[in-house]
Amino acid sequence: MPQCALAIEEILLTAGFPKGVFQTLLIGSQKVDRILNDPRIVAATLTGSEKAGIEVGIGAAKRIKKVVLELGGSDPFIVMPSANLDEAAATAVKARIVNNGQSCIAAKRFIVAESIADQFERKFVSKMEALTLGDPFDENTELGPMATKEGVSELDADVRKTVAAGARVLTGGKPLECPGNFYAPTVLANIPRNSPAYGEELFGPVASLFRVKDIDDAIKLANDTRFGLGASAWTNDPHERERFINDLDAGMVFINKMVASDPRLPFGGIKQSGHGRELGPYGIREFTNAKTVWVEAGKEAMKTHS
Protein backbone atom coordinates (compact mmCIF):
# COMPACT_ATOMS: atom_id res chain seq x y z
CA MET A 1 0.00 0.00 0.00
CA PRO A 2 2.72 2.63 0.82
CA GLN A 3 4.47 1.85 -2.47
CA CYS A 4 1.20 2.46 -4.38
CA ALA A 5 0.70 5.80 -2.65
CA LEU A 6 4.26 6.87 -3.41
CA ALA A 7 3.81 5.80 -7.03
CA ILE A 8 0.68 7.98 -7.35
CA GLU A 9 2.67 10.96 -6.09
CA GLU A 10 5.36 10.28 -8.72
CA ILE A 11 2.74 9.94 -11.49
CA LEU A 12 1.24 13.32 -10.66
CA LEU A 13 4.67 14.96 -10.69
CA THR A 14 5.47 13.36 -14.03
CA ALA A 15 2.12 14.59 -15.40
CA GLY A 16 3.14 18.16 -14.63
CA PHE A 17 1.38 18.90 -11.36
CA PRO A 18 3.25 21.42 -9.15
CA LYS A 19 5.55 19.90 -6.55
CA GLY A 20 3.76 19.51 -3.24
CA VAL A 21 0.20 19.64 -4.61
CA PHE A 22 -0.08 15.97 -3.67
CA GLN A 23 2.11 14.37 -1.04
CA THR A 24 2.20 10.90 0.46
CA LEU A 25 3.15 10.95 4.13
CA LEU A 26 4.18 7.72 5.87
CA ILE A 27 3.69 8.87 9.45
CA GLY A 28 2.25 7.83 12.78
CA SER A 29 -1.07 9.17 14.07
CA GLN A 30 0.68 11.43 16.63
CA LYS A 31 1.78 13.77 13.83
CA VAL A 32 -1.56 14.02 12.06
CA ASP A 33 -3.12 16.88 14.04
CA ARG A 34 -0.12 19.19 13.61
CA ILE A 35 0.02 18.53 9.88
CA LEU A 36 -3.70 19.15 9.40
CA ASN A 37 -3.30 22.45 11.24
CA ASP A 38 -1.03 23.74 8.45
CA PRO A 39 -3.07 26.09 6.21
CA ARG A 40 -1.32 24.67 3.13
CA ILE A 41 -3.10 21.36 3.73
CA VAL A 42 -6.59 21.66 2.24
CA ALA A 43 -7.64 17.98 2.24
CA ALA A 44 -6.41 14.58 3.37
CA THR A 45 -7.08 10.93 2.67
CA LEU A 46 -6.19 7.95 4.82
CA THR A 47 -6.09 4.23 4.26
CA GLY A 48 -5.72 2.58 7.64
CA SER A 49 -7.33 1.46 10.85
CA GLU A 50 -10.58 2.65 12.34
CA LYS A 51 -8.67 4.34 15.18
CA ALA A 52 -6.39 6.22 12.78
CA GLY A 53 -9.40 7.26 10.72
CA ILE A 54 -11.07 8.78 13.78
CA GLU A 55 -7.93 10.82 14.51
CA VAL A 56 -7.77 12.15 10.94
CA GLY A 57 -11.51 12.79 10.83
CA ILE A 58 -11.49 14.79 14.08
CA GLY A 59 -8.45 16.80 12.99
CA ALA A 60 -9.99 17.62 9.62
CA ALA A 61 -13.39 18.48 11.10
CA LYS A 62 -11.84 21.03 13.49
CA ARG A 63 -10.37 22.87 10.49
CA ILE A 64 -13.30 22.38 8.05
CA LYS A 65 -11.14 20.35 5.69
CA LYS A 66 -12.21 17.62 3.28
CA VAL A 67 -11.19 14.09 4.18
CA VAL A 68 -11.60 10.66 2.57
CA LEU A 69 -11.31 7.66 4.88
CA GLU A 70 -10.81 4.08 3.74
CA LEU A 71 -10.79 2.03 6.92
CA GLY A 72 -11.48 -1.52 8.03
CA GLY A 73 -14.12 -4.03 7.12
CA SER A 74 -15.77 -7.25 8.17
CA ASP A 75 -16.93 -8.18 4.69
CA PRO A 76 -19.63 -10.86 4.28
CA PHE A 77 -19.35 -13.60 1.66
CA ILE A 78 -22.85 -14.99 1.17
CA VAL A 79 -23.61 -18.30 -0.57
CA MET A 80 -27.14 -19.28 -1.56
CA PRO A 81 -28.46 -22.68 -2.80
CA SER A 82 -28.46 -21.69 -6.49
CA ALA A 83 -24.76 -20.83 -6.47
CA ASN A 84 -22.02 -22.90 -8.09
CA LEU A 85 -20.64 -24.40 -4.87
CA ASP A 86 -17.28 -25.49 -6.26
CA GLU A 87 -16.56 -22.04 -7.64
CA ALA A 88 -17.90 -20.32 -4.53
CA ALA A 89 -15.78 -22.43 -2.15
CA ALA A 90 -12.61 -21.99 -4.21
CA THR A 91 -13.14 -18.24 -4.45
CA ALA A 92 -14.01 -18.03 -0.75
CA VAL A 93 -10.54 -19.28 0.16
CA LYS A 94 -8.88 -16.74 -2.15
CA ALA A 95 -11.11 -13.98 -0.78
CA ARG A 96 -10.11 -14.82 2.80
CA ILE A 97 -6.34 -15.19 2.34
CA VAL A 98 -5.67 -12.25 0.00
CA ASN A 99 -2.52 -10.53 1.30
CA ASN A 100 -2.26 -13.39 3.83
CA GLY A 101 -5.63 -12.37 5.27
CA GLN A 102 -4.47 -8.82 5.96
CA SER A 103 -6.70 -6.83 3.62
CA CYS A 104 -9.58 -4.49 4.35
CA ILE A 105 -11.61 -6.06 1.54
CA ALA A 106 -10.73 -9.67 2.35
CA ALA A 107 -13.90 -11.70 2.99
CA LYS A 108 -14.14 -12.41 6.70
CA ARG A 109 -17.66 -13.66 7.46
CA PHE A 110 -18.95 -16.57 5.35
CA ILE A 111 -22.74 -16.73 5.49
CA VAL A 112 -24.18 -19.88 3.94
CA ALA A 113 -27.75 -21.11 3.42
CA GLU A 114 -28.52 -24.06 5.72
CA SER A 115 -29.53 -26.38 2.89
CA ILE A 116 -26.02 -26.29 1.38
CA ALA A 117 -24.01 -25.46 4.49
CA ASP A 118 -22.62 -28.98 5.05
CA GLN A 119 -21.39 -29.23 1.46
CA PHE A 120 -19.86 -25.78 1.49
CA GLU A 121 -18.21 -26.35 4.86
CA ARG A 122 -16.52 -29.56 3.69
CA LYS A 123 -15.22 -27.94 0.51
CA PHE A 124 -14.12 -24.75 2.23
CA VAL A 125 -12.35 -26.39 5.16
CA SER A 126 -10.64 -28.90 2.87
CA LYS A 127 -9.31 -26.13 0.64
CA MET A 128 -8.12 -24.06 3.61
CA GLU A 129 -6.25 -27.07 4.98
CA ALA A 130 -4.66 -27.75 1.60
CA LEU A 131 -3.06 -24.32 1.28
CA THR A 132 0.69 -24.30 0.68
CA LEU A 133 2.39 -22.12 3.31
CA GLY A 134 5.86 -20.70 2.87
CA ASP A 135 8.09 -17.95 1.55
CA PRO A 136 5.94 -15.22 -0.08
CA PHE A 137 8.59 -14.84 -2.79
CA ASP A 138 8.17 -18.50 -3.79
CA GLU A 139 5.65 -18.71 -6.64
CA ASN A 140 4.29 -21.99 -5.22
CA THR A 141 3.35 -20.36 -1.91
CA GLU A 142 -0.37 -19.73 -1.42
CA LEU A 143 -0.23 -18.29 2.12
CA GLY A 144 2.70 -16.39 3.54
CA PRO A 145 3.45 -14.97 6.99
CA MET A 146 1.66 -12.08 8.63
CA ALA A 147 3.36 -8.69 8.75
CA THR A 148 4.26 -8.58 12.44
CA LYS A 149 4.47 -10.69 15.60
CA GLU A 150 2.04 -8.26 17.22
CA GLY A 151 -0.48 -8.97 14.48
CA VAL A 152 -0.23 -12.71 15.13
CA SER A 153 -0.69 -12.16 18.87
CA GLU A 154 -3.75 -9.94 18.38
CA LEU A 155 -5.32 -12.40 15.96
CA ASP A 156 -4.69 -15.34 18.27
CA ALA A 157 -6.21 -13.43 21.19
CA ASP A 158 -9.38 -12.78 19.15
CA VAL A 159 -9.61 -16.45 18.18
CA ARG A 160 -9.14 -17.58 21.79
CA LYS A 161 -11.82 -15.17 23.02
CA THR A 162 -14.20 -16.41 20.33
CA VAL A 163 -13.59 -20.06 21.21
CA ALA A 164 -13.93 -19.32 24.93
CA ALA A 165 -17.32 -17.76 24.16
CA GLY A 166 -18.47 -21.04 22.59
CA ALA A 167 -17.24 -21.14 18.98
CA ARG A 168 -15.95 -24.34 17.40
CA VAL A 169 -12.63 -24.62 15.56
CA LEU A 170 -13.05 -26.56 12.31
CA THR A 171 -9.39 -26.26 11.37
CA GLY A 172 -6.34 -24.31 12.55
CA GLY A 173 -6.87 -21.98 15.46
CA LYS A 174 -3.31 -21.23 16.55
CA PRO A 175 0.04 -19.73 15.50
CA LEU A 176 2.45 -22.08 13.77
CA GLU A 177 5.76 -22.94 15.42
CA CYS A 178 8.07 -22.19 12.52
CA PRO A 179 10.25 -19.30 11.37
CA GLY A 180 8.15 -16.28 10.42
CA ASN A 181 4.88 -14.80 11.65
CA PHE A 182 2.65 -17.64 10.50
CA TYR A 183 -0.89 -18.30 11.70
CA ALA A 184 -2.60 -21.51 10.68
CA PRO A 185 -5.43 -21.18 8.13
CA THR A 186 -8.44 -21.21 10.43
CA VAL A 187 -12.18 -21.72 10.13
CA LEU A 188 -14.50 -21.03 13.07
CA ALA A 189 -18.15 -22.07 13.38
CA ASN A 190 -21.02 -21.73 15.90
CA ILE A 191 -19.85 -18.19 16.60
CA PRO A 192 -21.63 -16.34 19.43
CA ARG A 193 -22.75 -12.77 18.87
CA ASN A 194 -20.67 -11.42 21.78
CA SER A 195 -17.37 -12.72 20.40
CA PRO A 196 -14.73 -10.94 18.25
CA ALA A 197 -15.23 -13.21 15.22
CA TYR A 198 -18.91 -12.25 14.95
CA GLY A 199 -18.46 -8.73 13.61
CA GLU A 200 -14.96 -7.45 14.27
CA GLU A 201 -12.24 -7.30 11.64
CA LEU A 202 -10.01 -10.34 12.23
CA PHE A 203 -6.87 -9.32 10.37
CA GLY A 204 -5.31 -12.60 9.29
CA PRO A 205 -6.20 -16.00 7.77
CA VAL A 206 -9.21 -16.71 10.02
CA ALA A 207 -12.67 -17.28 8.53
CA SER A 208 -15.97 -17.04 10.43
CA LEU A 209 -18.59 -19.47 9.14
CA PHE A 210 -22.30 -18.88 9.73
CA ARG A 211 -25.46 -20.77 8.72
CA VAL A 212 -28.74 -19.04 7.87
CA LYS A 213 -32.17 -20.33 6.87
CA ASP A 214 -32.95 -17.90 4.03
CA ILE A 215 -32.03 -14.70 2.24
CA ASP A 216 -33.69 -12.51 4.87
CA ASP A 217 -31.50 -13.98 7.59
CA ALA A 218 -28.44 -13.74 5.35
CA ILE A 219 -28.94 -10.01 4.75
CA LYS A 220 -29.76 -9.35 8.41
CA LEU A 221 -26.59 -11.10 9.57
CA ALA A 222 -24.43 -9.51 6.86
CA ASN A 223 -25.59 -6.05 7.95
CA ASP A 224 -25.16 -6.77 11.67
CA THR A 225 -21.77 -5.07 11.96
CA ARG A 226 -20.57 -1.51 12.33
CA PHE A 227 -18.53 -1.93 9.13
CA GLY A 228 -19.76 -1.57 5.55
CA LEU A 229 -16.91 -1.80 3.06
CA GLY A 230 -17.56 -4.63 0.57
CA ALA A 231 -19.86 -7.63 0.23
CA SER A 232 -19.82 -10.68 -2.03
CA ALA A 233 -23.00 -12.66 -2.74
CA TRP A 234 -23.22 -15.91 -4.69
CA THR A 235 -26.53 -16.74 -6.34
CA ASN A 236 -27.98 -17.50 -9.76
CA ASP A 237 -31.46 -16.38 -8.71
CA PRO A 238 -32.35 -12.97 -10.29
CA HIS A 239 -34.62 -12.01 -7.38
CA GLU A 240 -31.94 -12.79 -4.80
CA ARG A 241 -29.39 -10.85 -6.82
CA GLU A 242 -31.58 -7.72 -6.73
CA ARG A 243 -32.16 -8.15 -3.00
CA PHE A 244 -28.43 -8.29 -2.30
CA ILE A 245 -27.67 -5.30 -4.52
CA ASN A 246 -30.36 -3.16 -2.87
CA ASP A 247 -30.34 -4.37 0.74
CA LEU A 248 -26.72 -5.07 1.69
CA ASP A 249 -25.19 -2.21 3.69
CA ALA A 250 -21.91 -1.88 1.84
CA GLY A 251 -20.13 0.58 -0.38
CA MET A 252 -19.41 -2.20 -2.88
CA VAL A 253 -21.46 -5.31 -3.73
CA PHE A 254 -20.04 -8.04 -5.97
CA ILE A 255 -22.29 -10.81 -7.32
CA ASN A 256 -20.65 -14.19 -8.04
CA LYS A 257 -17.22 -12.61 -7.65
CA MET A 258 -14.93 -11.73 -4.76
CA VAL A 259 -14.63 -8.08 -3.78
CA ALA A 260 -11.72 -6.46 -5.59
CA SER A 261 -10.23 -3.07 -6.33
CA ASP A 262 -10.49 -1.84 -9.92
CA PRO A 263 -9.06 1.59 -10.89
CA ARG A 264 -12.01 2.17 -13.25
CA LEU A 265 -14.58 1.98 -10.45
CA PRO A 266 -15.21 3.94 -7.24
CA PHE A 267 -13.83 2.21 -4.14
CA GLY A 268 -14.94 2.85 -0.57
CA GLY A 269 -17.32 2.00 2.21
CA ILE A 270 -20.04 3.25 4.53
CA LYS A 271 -20.63 3.19 8.29
CA GLN A 272 -17.36 2.73 10.25
CA SER A 273 -15.55 1.62 7.11
CA GLY A 274 -15.15 5.27 6.20
CA HIS A 275 -16.56 7.76 3.72
CA GLY A 276 -15.69 9.25 0.38
CA ARG A 277 -14.41 7.30 -2.61
CA GLU A 278 -11.10 6.41 -4.17
CA LEU A 279 -10.39 5.38 -7.78
CA GLY A 280 -12.35 6.13 -10.92
CA PRO A 281 -13.78 9.57 -11.75
CA TYR A 282 -15.36 9.77 -8.28
CA GLY A 283 -11.97 9.39 -6.63
CA ILE A 284 -10.46 12.23 -8.66
CA ARG A 285 -13.42 14.52 -8.00
CA GLU A 286 -13.21 13.98 -4.23
CA PHE A 287 -10.30 16.43 -4.24
CA THR A 288 -11.60 19.01 -6.67
CA ASN A 289 -14.01 21.87 -6.08
CA ALA A 290 -16.89 22.70 -8.39
CA LYS A 291 -16.60 26.40 -9.23
CA THR A 292 -19.72 28.11 -10.52
CA VAL A 293 -19.05 30.92 -13.03
CA TRP A 294 -21.90 33.04 -14.38
CA VAL A 295 -21.04 35.79 -16.87
CA GLU A 296 -23.94 38.12 -17.56
CA ALA A 297 -23.56 39.40 -21.12
CA GLY A 298 -24.56 43.03 -21.59
CA LYS A 299 -26.75 44.20 -24.49
CA GLU A 300 -23.81 45.70 -26.37
CA ALA A 301 -21.82 42.48 -26.03
CA MET A 302 -24.79 40.53 -27.32
CA LYS A 303 -25.06 42.74 -30.41
CA THR A 304 -21.37 42.37 -31.09
CA HIS A 305 -21.59 38.59 -31.10
CA SER A 306 -24.93 38.26 -32.87
Side-chain angles (χ1 to χ4, degrees):
M1 186 65 72
Q3 287 80 7
C4 293
L6 291 168
I8 292 171
E9 180 178 341
E10 184 63 31
I11 289 169
L12 289 173
L13 287 171
T14 303
F17 281 76
K19 187 176 181 180
V21 73
F22 176 93
Q23 285 187 277
T24 294
L25 304 178
L26 308 180
I27 59 173
S29 58
Q30 71 277 5
K31 297 180 180 180
V32 167
D33 195 68
R34 183 163 56 90
I35 290 171
L36 288 173
N37 197 46
D38 191 313
R40 293 173 296 177
I41 306 298
V42 297
T45 179
L46 168 81
T47 297
S49 69
E50 187 180 356
K51 181 179 179 182
I54 291 171
E55 291 294 322
V56 173
I58 291 173
K62 288 193 296 185
R63 283 95 178 182
I64 322 288
K65 294 184 177 183
K66 180 66 178 288
V67 64
V68 172
L69 302 175
E70 197 274 281
L71 310 178
S74 186
D75 288 9
F77 187 105
I78 304 168
V79 186
M80 300 303 289
S82 64
N84 181 321
L85 279 191
D86 288 331
E87 185 181 2
T91 306
V93 174
K94 294 178 182 177
R96 176 58 277 200
I97 66 165
V98 60
N99 198 33
N100 304 324
Q102 303 163 113
S103 171
C104 54
I105 56 170
K108 300 177 177 78
R109 296 178 297 138
F110 297 83
I111 301 169
V112 188
E114 184 66 52
S115 62
I116 56 166
D118 287 340
Q119 298 175 64
F120 180 86
E121 181 182 299
R122 286 194 298 270
K123 294 175 185 292
F124 185 52
V125 172
S126 175
K127 292 179 184 298
M128 287 286 279
E129 292 176 335
L131 288 169
T132 300
L133 280 62
D135 185 342
F137 291 102
D138 185 337
E139 63 180 16
N140 295 315
T141 295
E142 296 174 298
L143 180 66
M146 293 179 60
T148 65
K149 289 183 179 179
E150 293 76 15
V152 173
S153 297
E154 291 174 8
L155 180 65
D156 190 47
D158 284 338
V159 170
R160 289 176 180 271
K161 289 176 184 176
T162 301
V163 173
R168 185 163 55 97
V169 178
L170 301 182
T171 188
K174 60 183 179 181
L176 297 178
E177 296 181 3
C178 61
N181 306 316
F182 283 92
Y183 198 87
T186 299
V187 181
L188 304 175
N190 302 112
I191 298 163
R193 195 178 191 282
N194 62 341
S195 64
Y198 183 87
E200 295 293 332
E201 180 178 32
L202 269 60
F203 218 58
V206 176
S208 301
L209 187 60
F210 300 87
R211 296 175 178 229
V212 292
K213 64 179 182 180
D214 55 27
I215 188 172
D216 291 324
D217 280 354
I219 292 172
K220 182 179 179 181
L221 179 56
N223 291 342
D224 190 18
T225 173
R226 68 180 187 278
F227 296 110
L229 189 52
S232 176
W234 292 72
T235 176
N236 286 308
D237 182 314
H239 172 70
E240 290 180 344
R241 181 182 62 203
E242 291 302 313
R243 285 287 310 279
F244 288 131
I245 290 171
N246 293 322
D247 296 346
L248 286 173
D249 294 338
M252 301 172 287
V253 176
F254 284 62
I255 304 296
N256 296 332
K257 181 177 172 60
M258 62 184 276
V259 178
S261 171
D262 187 311
R264 298 169 297 180
L265 302 173
F267 179 98
I270 60 174
K271 300 197 286 191
Q272 295 299 104
S273 288
H275 54 71
R277 290 296 178 265
E278 300 172 344
L279 307 181
Y282 287 92
I284 295 172
R285 289 171 184 152
E286 287 284 4
F287 292 103
T288 61
N289 289 314
K291 178 185 284 188
T292 298
V293 178
W294 184 323
V295 178
E296 186 75 17
K299 292 182 178 179
E300 292 302 318
M302 292 174 67
K303 289 179 180 179
T304 302
H305 293 90
S306 62

